[in-house]
Structures are given as structure tokens and as C-alpha cells.
Amino acid sequence: LQNNATTIVAAAKGHKEYLIQHEKIKRSKIEVIHNGVDPARTRSELSQAEARAKFSLPEKANIITQIAALRPDKAHMIMLKALAVLIRELPDTILLLAGDGSERNNIERKITELSLHKHCRLLGNQRNIGDVIIASDLIALSSNPEQETLSVAAIEAMFGGKPVVSTHVGFMDEIVLNSETGLLVPPQSPQKLADTFIKILQDENGRKRMGQNGVKHVTKLCHVSVMTEKFECLFKKIIQ
């Protein structure tokens, strides 16, 4: 297929390098077009206080949200272990898990094992994800390196004005610019994840700055109109 293709689209700059090095695709055949998101998907008509009331959350709590299918590669167990460490320092913290999937029963058992019932809520799939984002102080991803490329959930969070804490996997460093739009941590490290949460939750001005920077960054890189324009230009180039 690659030998017959005129052009192959990579979802990130790092993805392009992966295709060159591991799939042996010619550099000249690859165009980079980042995933595009419509910011209307993350728009909420609610204030943070109203969104928290909607989900029966304390107005003054620290709210961390992971938006991801409940699958092994999303490493929710690492997130729960980090939460168990985190609440020793910040006991008014609640973790929201938005999404559903095959790991739900295992996650529920882990919540019981770690006595996290007061600190973790499974929201299931959410139609109005913008309300979940606006209720949160930050969005977090604990993914393993095998699957994550460029998380749409992280892009949506940034359009919602929230900083992102993510494991340094895939090509997440193209959207989570360390200390600018969020913070990156090594995968499979609950302690470092917890330490990073504490750092960002205790820095309200830093969260606001990262949130504002994130909006600017994804608007330039990952807005659906930017993606559409790049594909239109590519199609015109191909058919000439």
C-alpha cells in the first residue's frame, strides 16, 4: 500500500519520524496533519460552580478528571495508585473517570482495595463532556506507551482552558508543552504522577496560565478548521 500511495498523512511530527524509521516510508511521501477538534465539543454553558453542582461535587474540592475508555492501555490502575498517594497530602481531592469499557469491574475492585470510594467517581460515558471539563481543575492521562499517539481528550481539555498532566508517551509532547500547557511525567510511575498533581493543584496561577497557553496552542495546531484547510491543500496538491 505504501509503495502505491502518493501521500501518507501522519498525525504528529513524531508520528512522521516513526513512519520513516520503523515503517521505512520515504520522508517525501509523508505530510503531517495534526488531529483536529471542534472546540464547540468542549464548550459549556455552565460556570465551574454550576458544573460541580451538576455532578454533586464539592465546590472547593480539587477535581482531577481522566477522560478515556476504560481499557488496560489507559492505565487507570496507575491513576488510582497515584490518587491513593495524593490524598495523603490533599485529602479534598476527587478523581473523576469519564468513559466506560472492559476494565470497569477491575477499576471498581481497585477503588475498593485502596479505600478510594470517597475520592473517585466513575461517570461512565458523558454526552456533554464540556461540563465535565469545566468542573475540573485539570485533566490527566496515565496512558501506557503502547497505544497513545496524540490524545483527542487532551486537545479537548485544552480547548476547555484546562492544563493537562500526561504521561510522556506517544507524541503527547507536541501538545503538552512541559510547564507551558501542562506537565509530563514518566509512564508507570504513580509517585511521580501524584507529586505532579500536588505541584499543579497548589499553583492556581500556574493552572490558569497553562490553561490559557493551551487554548492558544491547540487553536493554532489542532483546530478542526486548521486540519480541514491542510487536507484541502493536500488534495489540491495531489490532483494537480
Side-chain angles (χ1 to χ4, degrees):
L1 176 62
Q2 62 176 281
N3 292 329
N4 296 326
T6 302
T7 305
I8 294 174
V9 175
K13 292 179 181 178
H15 188 204
K16 176 177 180 175
E17 296 306 314
Y18 172 86
L19 292 173
I20 293 167
Q21 293 177 22
H22 297 279
E23 302 297 335
K24 308 304 179 185
I25 297 173
K26 292 181 180 179
R27 182 178 296 272
S28 60
K29 283 192 171 187
I30 305 172
E31 294 281 345
V32 176
I33 302 178
H34 289 84
N35 292 332
V37 168
D38 182 355
R41 284 171 54 95
T42 61
R43 196 169 294 131
S44 174
E45 300 301 323
L46 304 180
S47 66
Q48 185 175 79
E50 290 169 337
R52 291 190 174 192
K54 173 182 175 178
F55 296 105
S56 300
L57 298 167
E59 187 174 345
K60 299 299 182 181
N62 300 307
I63 306 296
I64 300 170
T65 299
Q66 181 163 6
I67 304 168
L70 306 187
R71 303 194 314 251
D73 57 281
K74 298 299 182 180
H76 289 84
M77 300 304 177
I78 298 297
M79 185 66 72
L80 293 176
K81 290 177 183 178
L83 178 64
V85 174
L86 170 61
I87 59 176
R88 298 174 201 158
E89 182 84 15
L90 298 175
D92 294 329
T93 299
I94 296 174
L95 171 66
L96 305 179
L97 299 180
D100 214 339
S102 60
E103 279 288 279
R104 187 181 183 96
N105 290 340
N106 290 334
I107 290 169
E108 289 175 341
R109 282 194 288 269
K110 196 67 175 179
I111 290 170
T112 299
E113 177 188 324
L114 297 175
S115 300
L116 294 174
H117 288 99
K118 294 181 179 180
H119 300 278
C120 185
R121 301 189 187 178
L122 291 162
L123 300 182
N125 292 321
Q126 291 290 314
R127 180 181 294 272
N128 296 319
I129 200 66
D131 293 347
V132 180
I133 292 171
I134 201 67
S136 309
D137 290 302
L138 63 92
I139 306 300
L141 294 168
S142 54
S143 302
N144 289 326
E146 301 88 54
Q147 294 294 330
E148 203 67 77
T149 301
L150 200 67
S151 168
V152 171
I155 298 170
E156 290 176 337
M158 290 183 184
F159 273 119
K162 301 297 177 178
V164 173
V165 174
S166 172
T167 44
H168 196 170
V169 295
F171 314 113
M172 291 299 295
D173 57 357
E174 294 186 31
I175 53 174
V176 182
L177 308 180
N178 214 19
S179 297
E180 292 185 35
T181 66
L183 292 167
L184 294 166
V185 298
Q188 294 290 318
S189 180
Q191 182 65 56
K192 290 184 179 179
L193 193 57
D195 290 343
T196 303
F197 287 152
I198 292 168
K199 177 180 178 180
I200 198 168
L201 288 171
Q202 291 181 332
D203 184 5
E204 183 177 359
N205 289 333
R207 290 199 308 275
K208 289 180 179 178
R209 175 181 56 80
M210 290 180 193
Q212 291 167 354
N213 289 342
V215 173
K216 294 176 184 176
H217 184 59
V218 293
T219 297
K220 292 179 181 178
L221 194 69
C222 299
H223 196 288
V224 66
S225 64
V226 174
M227 180 187 72
T228 301
E229 182 179 351
K230 288 183 177 180
F231 269 111
E232 288 176 348
C233 291
L234 176 59
F235 294 152
K236 290 177 182 177
K237 177 182 174 182
I238 291 172
I239 62 177
Q240 283 179 349

